[in-house]
Structures are given as structure tokens and as C-alpha cells.
Amino acid sequence: MSVEAEAAAVGRTAGHARTQEVVWHHRHLLDVDVVTWPEIELIMRTTDEMKGVLARPIRKVPALNGRRVTTLFYEASTRTRVSFETAARNLSADVVSVSTATSSVTKGESLVDTIRTLEALGAEILVMRHSVSGAPHLAAEIFGGHVLNGGDGWHAHPTQALLDLYTMRQHLPDGDLRGRKVAIVGDILHSRVARSNIWSLTAAGADLWLCGPATLLRGMDRWATAWDGGAIPGHGRFHVTSDVDAAVRDADVVMALRIQRERMQGGLLPSLREYAARFGLNAERVSLAKPEAIVMHPGPMNEGVEIAPDVAISGRAVITEQVANGVAVRMALLYLLAGAHEAAVGHEAAR
Amino acid sequence: MSPRSKTAGSATALGPGIGEVVERFELEKAWLVDPVSGREGPGEIVITGGVLESVVWLEGEEAKGVSDRGVIVAPGFLDLHAHFREPGFEDAETVATGTAAAAHGGYTTVALMPNTSPALDEPGVLERIRSAARASGSPVEVLAYGAVSADRAGEQLSAMGELADAGVVGYSDDGAPVRTPTLLRSALLYAGMLGLPVVDHAEDLELTAGAEANEGYVASIMGLAGWPAAAEVNAVSRDLAVLADALIDEPRVRLHLTHLSTAASLDLVRRAKDAGLPVTCDVTPHHLALADEWIAGARRWSWEALGPDGSSRDPWADGALTAPPYNTSLRVNPPLRTPVDAAACLAALLDGTASAVVTDHAPHTVVDKEVEFGRASSGISGIETALGVLLALVDAKRMPLARAVAALTTGPAATLAGWPAPAATPAARKRGLVEGAPADLVVFDRADRWTVTEDSLRSKGKNSPLIGRELSGRVLLTIAGGRLAYEDPGAGDE
């Protein structure tokens, strides 16, 4: 069976609408909230193809030959930046890497001016990481090319959510998340990973549980309540709890999120030790999940805080798979964006 | 039936440029709204030598064809809260552009906040502002508040007595709250002794550190740091407690709370007024008509975002998100709240808890607004759209026309008049259509819709979330103190 046929078969058994006719029309990818389920399946199928490329002895195809990808990172990042740049090079794109620490940003240049400059220098696809929520939306309004959000503030990290989804599908029968219990444990309040995962996993039909101390769940219960009645077309409900055992029990997927030290200075946590004791994913806690459950982490990890070292290297952990899948997902998105039909640009510029 | 044909000959009769006396102006068959007498209906006005010579109410056959949906005459509007940025931030606004914008909005009197640079904390700065107002040639009357604290630093009192002698209408550290309860107590007592109010911007800064948008459903989804309602409620509680204490020592203390935005804080003021505390408050057009969902891309009025049970609707569920999210012209302090809070602002206005609508006109440059949402300066350029926003409430039958006019005229005038000292100033005069007094009025056409664009705004501040939107009630003419303040450019064509 070809990769495409296989993916289509997965789509059918999953009971979702047939998706083969779906054409990518988004000019930018700022979050997964505006991406429909058939479009997500298109991304998954395209990722399958990119995985095929990565399995070859020479991991390089000419798909984006001569296209110019610029990464603009306003926040420190190792894996996301390297992942995007590797993905772009695998597609034969020319990659320009801008780090704000060594750019005119340190001289007070505004985001708008920086982006206009990069566009004048030939940037076509802008991969951006920024500490302020909504910054890539501003970029999308002024940039003539494509913006790919590499994470903004607490708001969104769409490529992470998509690589998480891809990884989960690899480990679940038929790649079907419907009814599968996914527990995300950690600092939900400040997490762009959690927010993007809420959109994608509720679209996938997962039984999503968000868990953390009450101080790091602020506002989430209200959100969950609003969605409880199936208010948002195409998205299911999710649960919010501070009871970590209830969240993890019988889960198919358990994901830990990074806990930052600043949360203690902000008075949100008594200590990392207390967090580890009450919410950390240790072997005992993970044993509450299904025997075949996988353990995930978007990285970078604080081993011994949100995840115990033995859990992180256990056979259940798929953390390095997430990293590897991240390259394939980002190749898929760069490929789809670069080929996005320019006619669709007007409306999509808004979102 | 164009409004200009009704004012046939008026353009030539007006003749004068901005700031010149309106020697002769007649308006036949318009809808007059006089909030002082409480009367509204068909009528005619004649201005001679800048004086409102006659106000004739029409009846029977003569009144035929005149409705409250056409050309309307109302007293000139009074804004108790505006920022004209001069001195110090003239790239954002000047007294000249600010008064031009005010007149375009139908305002004939404005009270400016003292967060200039240098701050208006001594009479010299007030003199600079007055000098700029004179130089502008605009007849719009410019009043000003003095700062509560020197340099608005929240440490020592400003030159309050000298400022009173120079004619400030009150004291405020607006942009920030009066920093400490101790300083507020002193300010209330000293200002009360001088017969002037303290106008507080009620915000608990500790609760709003790093805050970006009203804490709630919208901010949660958008990953914006929450700006809790508790920050305003806590500050209002503090202010009311200190006011009650100060009242024991000085019966003339007055507290005015500006731009209140939450149901809970308005309820505190309602109860305090019931208990007899000398407190007044106001609300803004944007907190009445807009809501936090606009940041996500919704563009419906706040009352359209209420469910049948009075709760806020979900813009994601409704498919109501039509504009790009994170528009920085929606970043304002206090933040846009929920549709339920907006409804509470309207209820407070209608039941008298809030005595005025103020614009909090806060122009900013592109440099300060074309940035990441959380880094944008707070404020909306709103003095030219206040009338249109209130007319949207009237069009939606949320508020009678006469109440909307009162909120812009007698409401703020009575608030000023309730402050013992400035009762003698012209601004505090009752804003009615009074024969024999200098003409101070606005003529607008409710049926004439106009589109808010950067070009249509006279203000330097183009930071309006209503850019691109159509509003009803194009202002045709504004006359301040008998002199021409604004005339619609189309008026002279005929």
C-alpha cells in the first residue's frame, strides 16, 4: 500500500470524512485553531511522506530548492530552531537564521521593522518564535510571504501540537485518538503547548485531561466548562483537574510539561520539591496509566521535577521520537505553506 | 431632503472660519434635544452674533416630516476625561489637533488629564496648555486637571493650592491610581478644602503587573496574561474606604472614579452613593459598546454578544471572529471586559450610578501601537467616535436618544457642578438650549452614516478599533461659545 493510500485508509477507519480532495490553502500557520480536521489529516499524510524521505540514505529532496526560509527567534530555543532549520535544509531551501541576541533587535529595532528588513532581504517563509502572545499575527499582517509560528508567548505552538498528534497516532491502533485518554500534566496556565494541544486533541476526539496545581490552571476550568456542551463545531469537551491520579488513571498518553523556576518566585508554587512529590510523573504514578501507555514531553525536561529520570528513559517514553517526528512535521508544513495557493491569501492573512 | 438643504443658505451665512463668531445661522425643521428642560421635538433655532437668539418648538402642521432620526440639535458635549498629550508627546496629539478632533466629535468643552511631560503639577504647565489652546484658534473650551502628586510620582502632593488658584477643575494621577491610601487621604482632604475633587483611576497595580487582557475566557484561549476585575474592585474599595474616613474631617471632600469597567466595581459605587458618600463615576463608550472578544476578532457590539439569559456568548461557537486577532488599538486601560460588564456599565448609566460618559481619548503614535499586543501603549483615540457609539446604543433601543445626549452634556455638567469650586466656571453651566446665551451646540444627522477612517479622524491618534466601521450621526456643525468650532466639509458645497 502506498503511503497515501495507507493514510487514506487510516482516515476512513477513523471515521472522519474522506480527506483526499483536501487542498492546503492557508498562507500562514499561526495556530491549529483555524485548521480543519481534514487539513490536519493532510498534514499527517504529508508527514508520512516526509518520514519516507528521512528514511532514505540521503535525506534531501529538492522540493523547496531556491526557496528562502528565515528563522527569527526572539526566545532561546535549541530543538525547535534546529528542527525547523534541519527540516528546511532537507527540502533544499536556503536557510537564514536570525538570532535576536546578535541582531539589530538589541539596538531597539521594532518587530515590524525587523520583518520588513528580512522581507527586503528576500525572506519568503518566516519561522518565528516570540515571547509575546500574538506576535506572529502582527508579523503575518505585514509580511508578504508565509509566517510559520514557532511558538508565541503562552498562546500557541502549532508545530509542537502537530508533532505530538503525529506521535500519538503512531502508537495508537489505527492512529485513532477518538475516546483515547490523553493527560497533560504541568504548568497549563503558561503553556502554549497545552493551548495548541487543546485545539488539536479536541478535534481528534481524544478524552483530554489537563492537570496541574490550581495556581497553574487559572482560567482553564471556565474554558472547559464553556466547551462542555460541544459549543465549538468540530471540537469536543475536555477536563481540568488538580487530581493527578485521576488524570493519569487508565490514560493512553501521559504528557508532562516543563515547570519553570520563575513560578516559585511568582508565588505560584511552594517549591520544585513539592511539585515533584505531588505532580511529578514518577514510575508509581505512570503505572496508573494503561500498560501500553506512552509518556511524552515537549522538552526541555527538568528531570526530577515534572518527570522522574527513570520514567524519561523508560520504554514508555517516546520523547526522542517526538523530536524526530518534529523534523518530519516541519518539513510537511514548510512544503504545504510554500505551495499554498496564492489566491487564498487575502482572507487567510487575517487569521 | 439632505440636511444641507434644510440649512439652505447656512453655509454662506456661516461664512466665518474656525474660531470666528457665527454672525448669523438659521436652522429650520430639525429635532431639538434640550436635556435641561427635558424637552425634545421638532424646532428651529436662530443664532445672531454668536448668541442663540431664538429656539422655537414647532407643533402641528409645521412639525410634519421632522423626526428624531434626521438632523438633530443638541447642546455642545462636555468630555470630563481626555488626553491631548501636550506638552511632551506632541507627536501623538497637540492641543490644536485635540480640540479639532473634539469639535469633530461634537464636543465644545474638554477636561484634560495631567499626565503630560512635564506633568501638570504646577500652574506653569497649565499656562502652556492654555496658551496652546489660544494659539490653536479653536473655540473649544479647554479645562484641565492638576496632578495629585508632584511629577505624578505618588510621593508628595502637587502644588494643589496654586493649581486651584490657576483654575484646574480637579486632581488626578490618571494613567495610574493615586499610589497609596495615605496619599489619597491627604489629597482628598486638601482638595476638599479647596472645593475640588480627586479623580482616581482605580487599579490595583500589584494585581495588574504584566496583565494584557481582561482575565477570563477570551484571555485564557488567547494566551494573554489576565487583567482581573478584582484589580478594579479592590482599588474602588480602597478609595471608598478612604473617602468615608476623610469625610469625617472635611465635608467638602469629593471623589470621582473614572472609566469604571466592571459590574462589581459599579455595584460598589451604587451602594456607596446609596449610603450617602460624596462619590461620582463615569464610563467610556468603549466599555459600553466593545468587549474583550474584539481582541479575538469579534466585531459585534457588546449587546449583540449577550445570550438570552444575559450571559456572554461565545464568539468561537458563534463563528463571530471576523477580524484579525490581537489588534493593538484594543489595548486599553482598564481593559475591554466581558459583554456582561458592558451591560453593567449601561445599567449604571441608566440608573444614575454613573453620571457621565467620558471618552478617555488617548491618542498614540503608530510607533507605540504597531508592536506586539502586550507591548503596545494603552488607549483608544475616541473623542470623534463617542457620539456614533452612543447612537448605536440608541439605534439598538438600548437607550433613549435624550439619555444619550444627557450622558454627553448635562450628566458631566452636573458632575462638575457637584464639585463645589468650579461651579462658577462656564463649563459647569447647565448645558441646555438657552435663548440669549452664547450658542454652544452641535448639529448632527442621525441618518447620515459615515465611515471611520484614518483620514476622517482629525486626531493625530489613529488608534481606533472602529477604523473601517460605519457609524450613524455625522456631525455637521459644532459651535462653541458662539464661535465656529467645526463645520462638515461638505456643508459649503451647496
Side-chain angles (χ1 to χ4, degrees):
Chain A
M1 206 187 309
S2 74
V3 167
E4 276 161 346
E6 195 177 319
V10 167
R12 274 196 298 280
T13 43
H16 291 293
R18 282 176 63 88
T19 54
Q20 281 164 305
E21 301 82 8
V22 175
V23 175
W24 185 262
H25 68 278
H26 294 276
R27 174 174 163 187
H28 310 293
L29 183 71
L30 306 180
D31 194 6
V32 285
D33 58 350
V34 293
V35 182
T36 63
W37 182 255
E39 288 166 345
I40 287 179
E41 291 209 314
L42 172 64
I43 297 167
M44 298 291 114
R45 287 200 306 278
T46 311
T47 305
D48 286 335
E49 293 175 30
M50 297 305 171
K51 290 281 282 186
V53 170
L54 293 176
R56 296 176 193 167
I58 296 174
R59 305 171 145 207
K60 196 155 185 165
V61 288
L64 264 63
N65 198 5
R67 306 296 293 269
R68 294 177 296 273
V69 175
T70 299
T71 60
L72 174 62
F73 274 53
Y74 283 83
E75 266 188 353
S77 159
T78 307
R79 74 190 64 213
T80 304
R81 173 195 280 275
V82 171
S83 179
F84 268 113
E85 292 175 1
T86 304
R89 290 197 176 98
N90 288 346
L91 296 171
S92 305
D94 296 336
V95 179
V96 172
S97 174
V98 182
S99 159
T100 57
T102 54
S103 72
S104 296
V105 171
T106 55
K107 299 176 188 168
E109 185 175 67
S110 74
L111 175 62
V112 167
D113 287 342
T114 300
I115 287 168
R116 286 187 179 137
T117 302
L118 294 176
E119 185 171 353
L121 289 169
E124 290 177 89
I125 298 178
L126 185 67
V127 177
M128 193 174 142
R129 159 74 59 93
H130 201 289
S131 62
V132 178
S133 295
H137 296 73
L138 173 63
E141 275 185 60
I142 54 166
F143 185 60
H146 309 273
V147 177
L148 218 178
N149 184 4
D152 64 316
W154 306 349
H155 171 235
H157 196 349
T159 59
Q160 181 70 42
L162 290 165
L163 76 86
D164 288 343
L165 181 66
Y166 188 88
T167 307
M168 290 178 206
R169 283 163 60 112
Q170 279 189 316
H171 286 271
L172 289 169
D174 298 329
D176 188 357
L177 266 96
R178 285 177 305 157
R180 295 294 182 175
K181 185 171 180 182
V182 178
I184 301 179
V185 184
D187 182 356
I188 308 293
L189 172 64
H190 302 97
S191 175
R192 53 188 168 226
V193 176
R195 279 185 181 78
S196 283
N197 265 307
I198 289 174
W199 285 103
S200 53
L201 293 173
T202 57
D207 177 25
L208 175 61
W209 289 63
L210 304 176
C211 177
T215 45
L216 301 179
L217 282 176
R218 246 171 50 228
M220 289 296 155
D221 199 52
R222 185 164 28 196
W223 181 353
T225 304
W227 282 21
D228 204 20
I232 312 295
H235 294 271
R237 61 189 297 199
F238 61 94
H239 305 272
V240 174
T241 182
S242 286
D243 181 344
V244 67
D245 290 352
V248 173
R249 186 169 292 116
D250 298 324
D252 296 277
V253 178
V254 183
M255 184 190 299
L257 299 179
R258 176 180 170 79
I259 294 293
Q260 297 184 343
R261 286 174 188 283
E262 301 87 81
R263 303 304 169 224
M264 286 180 298
Q265 288 140 22
L268 296 171
L269 287 177
S271 68
L272 292 184
R273 183 173 48 80
E274 178 161 329
Y275 181 87
R278 287 180 176 255
F279 294 94
L281 292 185
N282 53 35
E284 190 186 351
R285 213 157 259 152
V286 171
S287 72
L288 295 171
K290 284 189 182 153
E292 66 278 18
I294 55 171
V295 173
M296 304 177 76
H297 195 300
M301 286 188 285
N302 283 319
E303 290 188 49
V305 182
E306 71 268 8
I307 190 165
D310 54 335
V311 171
I313 56 163
S314 70
R316 290 163 172 257
V318 297
I319 296 162
T320 50
E321 275 179 58
Q322 285 175 271
V323 175
N325 287 338
V327 174
V329 163
R330 288 171 179 123
M331 286 169 72
L333 288 165
L334 288 167
Y335 175 78
L336 290 170
L337 284 182
H341 196 263
E342 295 295 329
V345 156
H347 173 71
E348 278 303 315
R351 307 287 306 158
Chain B
M1 277 300 286
S2 91
R4 283 131 209 167
S5 68
K6 289 179 195 167
T7 63
S10 65
T12 45
L14 268 172
I18 299 298
E20 292 176 18
V21 171
V22 178
E23 289 300 341
R24 182 73 185 173
F25 175 73
E26 296 176 31
L27 183 59
E28 298 173 355
K29 297 204 172 187
W31 187 268
L32 311 186
V33 182
D34 184 359
V36 169
S37 65
R39 185 168 185 182
E40 61 174 320
E44 297 179 348
I45 59 166
V46 177
I47 296 169
T48 305
V51 172
L52 186 55
E53 190 179 75
S54 75
V55 178
V56 179
W57 298 91
L58 302 177
E59 279 167 8
E61 195 64 27
E62 285 183 322
K64 265 200 168 167
V66 182
S67 86
D68 66 355
R69 295 187 168 268
V71 174
I72 292 171
V73 180
F77 304 151
L78 163 56
D79 191 359
L80 290 181
H81 187 148
H83 302 268
F84 285 178
R85 305 299 188 208
E86 186 176 355
F89 309 101
E90 288 84 353
D91 48 348
E93 193 81 292
T94 64
V95 172
T97 58
T99 48
H104 178 228
Y107 286 88
T108 56
T109 311
V110 292
L112 302 183
M113 282 296 168
N115 59 337
T116 48
S117 180
L120 203 174
D121 60 359
E122 51 88 19
V125 183
L126 181 58
E127 190 41 53
R128 283 175 69 173
I129 291 168
R130 284 178 171 156
S131 161
R134 279 191 300 273
S136 77
S138 171
V140 170
E141 186 178 6
V142 174
L143 309 172
Y145 299 94
V148 165
S149 60
D151 204 24
R152 296 177 57 251
E155 305 282 341
Q156 302 177 17
L157 292 179
S158 68
M160 290 177 87
E162 291 174 33
L163 285 164
D165 293 343
V168 297
V169 295
Y171 304 94
S172 181
D173 274 353
D174 184 64
V178 177
R179 187 184 284 176
T180 67
T182 314
L183 186 69
L184 176 65
R185 184 179 59 195
S186 298
L188 281 166
L189 288 170
Y190 207 92
M193 174 189 82
L194 298 165
L196 289 169
V198 171
V199 178
D200 201 26
H201 160 125
E203 177 187 354
D204 183 328
L205 295 175
E206 203 272 334
L207 274 169
T208 61
E212 294 173 304
N214 179 50
E215 183 160 274
Y217 180 60
V218 172
S220 289
I221 291 188
M222 299 189 72
L224 292 171
W227 188 310
E232 183 169 297
V233 177
N234 201 22
V236 168
S237 306
R238 177 200 80 162
D239 287 8
L240 292 173
V242 172
L243 175 68
D245 239 26
L247 183 62
I248 296 168
D249 294 314
E250 169 55 66
R252 295 202 302 164
V253 291
R254 293 289 184 279
L255 172 68
H256 183 77
L257 297 163
T258 189
H259 55 49
L260 291 189
S261 64
T262 71
S265 60
L266 286 161
D267 207 43
L268 283 177
V269 173
R270 185 174 289 118
R271 281 186 272 156
K273 286 172 80 91
D274 286 348
L277 280 183
V279 60
T280 50
C281 73
D282 62 53
V283 293
T284 71
H286 45 273
H287 290 112
L288 285 165
L290 277 46
D292 54 359
E293 65 172 22
W294 279 51
I295 300 168
R299 286 296 179 270
R300 57 189 173 185
W301 296 120
S302 63
W303 51 92
E304 297 165 347
L306 287 172
D309 61 347
S311 63
S312 301
R313 297 185 57 89
D314 182 332
W316 279 271
D318 289 352
L321 305 178
T322 56
Y326 300 104
N327 181 336
T328 58
S329 67
L330 295 160
R331 183 157 161 82
V332 62
N333 180 354
L336 298 175
R337 303 285 187 180
T338 67
V340 172
D341 289 302
C345 289
L346 178 61
L349 192 60
L350 291 174
D351 75 9
T353 300
S355 55
V357 167
V358 307
T359 68
D360 192 4
H361 176 68
H364 285 293
T365 63
V366 172
V367 172
D368 290 328
K369 280 291 195 181
E370 199 178 57
V371 295
E372 299 87 334
F373 188 85
R375 291 183 181 158
S377 298
S378 290
I380 288 174
S381 178
I383 205 163
E384 293 168 84
T385 53
L387 171 63
V389 168
L390 289 195
L391 288 176
L393 276 159
V394 176
D395 290 343
K397 301 196 187 332
R398 296 273 158 176
M399 177 182 220
L401 174 65
R403 289 304 296 269
V405 169
L408 299 169
T409 55
T410 43
T415 308
L416 265 187
W419 303 342
T425 71
R429 69 183 171 270
K430 294 199 184 301
R431 301 184 87 78
L433 298 172
V434 185
E435 285 184 354
D440 199 278
L441 52 82
V442 53
V443 181
F444 60 92
D445 187 352
R446 227 182 121 185
D448 192 354
R449 295 176 69 80
W450 62 289
T451 303
V452 184
T453 62
E454 292 197 5
D455 287 341
S456 68
L457 295 179
R458 268 63 174 175
S459 170
K460 283 192 183 184
K462 310 303 181 186
N463 50 307
S464 165
L466 299 172
I467 295 273
R469 201 175 183 95
E470 249 195 11
L471 297 175
S472 57
R474 182 194 297 274
V475 171
L476 304 177
L477 182 67
T478 306
I479 298 172
R483 297 193 290 152
L484 183 65
Y486 173 80
E487 185 178 13
D488 180 50
D493 293 347
E494 295 175 50

